[in-house]
Amino acid sequence: MLSNPLKTLTKKEWLLWLASLAAVIISNLATNDLDLLTLMSALLGVTSLIFAAKGNVWAQFLMIVFCILYGIISFRFHYWGEMITYLGMTLPMAAWSAITWLQNPSEENENEVAIQTLNKKHIIGLIISTIIVTSIFYYILMWLDTPNIIFSTLSIVTSFVAASLTMLRSSYYAMGYAANDIVLIVLWVLASLENPAYIPVVVNFAIFLLNDMYGFVSWKKRELEHALIQ
């Protein structure tokens, strides 16, 4: 699973990846205040999502770097919830996901992770842990006087669910991240109203949303193919 992930991309995936990279670069260059950190994080994020759609473990390694860069961006706008969520939760869960993905390669293709169907134990555990994590983080956000706290809290919920589903190797991981993308689009639109320099961040997450939707379709297709083989 640690082989060159670019070799596994189809023509359609190459097109999606390159188009996404181009859109990110153009949107970031179009602003008067180019932020290289925002540009780098977006390029890494898009690439991570393409590899995640393939079930390739390199997606998790790139996600770890993305979390660090995004945490810095969030710190600069005082989006404490985003910073804490990505550095204190999404990053370690991405590292954990990398380990579980490496330990569970697909029987059909060793370059892809095996998809796992969630059982009742997984679902109940996910619900309970989400409630606990959200409650803890909400009070932390209140204490830090976080801007737009409602959407920041929603971001925590969707981020945790998405990261957990990724770790559990569920095909619904991408829907979790898609929901998180929508919340983040709202958050950074609000930030952009105060500082237009953050408009590229909004565009970046809109592109992430499209890639996450593709990831969901891709994993569902693999899941169906595996069921037919069985």
Side-chain angles (χ1 to χ4, degrees), residues 6-198:
L6 295 178
K7 293 181 179 181
T8 66
L9 298 182
T10 64
K11 291 182 179 180
K12 180 171 62 176
E13 289 162 346
W14 270 100
L15 179 61
L16 176 61
W17 181 43
L18 294 177
S20 297
L21 293 179
V24 166
I25 293 173
I26 292 172
S27 66
N28 280 266
L29 291 178
T31 181
N32 294 327
D33 301 311
L34 175 63
D35 183 14
L36 291 178
L37 193 62
T38 299
L39 177 58
M40 289 174 55
S41 66
L43 295 177
L44 280 172
V46 166
T47 305
S48 173
L49 294 178
I50 287 293
F51 293 162
K54 298 292 293 184
N56 192 291
V57 72
W58 280 105
Q60 303 309 319
F61 297 132
L62 292 179
M63 178 58 68
I64 291 172
V65 181
F66 171 79
C67 287
I68 295 172
L69 298 181
Y70 183 65
I72 297 173
I73 295 170
S74 300
F75 171 78
R76 294 188 307 191
F77 192 72
H78 296 173
Y79 268 161
W80 308 120
E82 291 301 289
M83 183 188 74
I84 295 172
T85 299
Y86 274 80
L87 293 180
M89 183 179 71
T90 306
L91 189 155
M93 292 186 76
W96 194 354
S97 294
I99 295 173
T100 59
W101 282 29
L102 284 171
Q103 292 176 337
N104 295 276
S106 171
E107 294 180 359
E108 292 81 18
N109 187 341
E110 63 179 11
N111 292 316
E112 299 175 349
V113 66
I115 299 175
Q116 178 175 235
T117 301
L118 299 182
N119 55 38
K120 290 183 179 180
K121 182 179 179 180
H122 291 142
I123 296 173
I124 293 174
L126 182 59
I127 292 174
I128 294 175
S129 58
T130 299
I131 293 174
I132 294 173
V133 169
T134 302
S135 300
I136 294 173
F137 273 76
Y138 177 75
Y139 285 105
I140 293 176
L141 297 184
M142 286 183 61
W143 181 69
L144 292 171
D145 194 24
T146 303
N148 305 313
I149 190 170
I150 298 300
F151 288 107
S152 292
T153 303
L154 287 174
S155 177
I156 290 172
V157 175
T158 52
S159 294
F160 181 76
V161 171
S164 298
L165 291 174
T166 301
M167 184 184 63
L168 291 170
R169 298 178 285 115
S170 169
S171 59
Y172 290 98
Y173 87 93
M175 293 304 293
Y177 276 117
N180 184 240
D181 292 335
I182 294 173
V183 175
L184 294 180
I185 288 171
V186 174
L187 268 176
W188 290 106
V189 164
L190 295 174
S192 299
L193 295 176
E194 298 184 30
N195 186 348
Y198 289 108

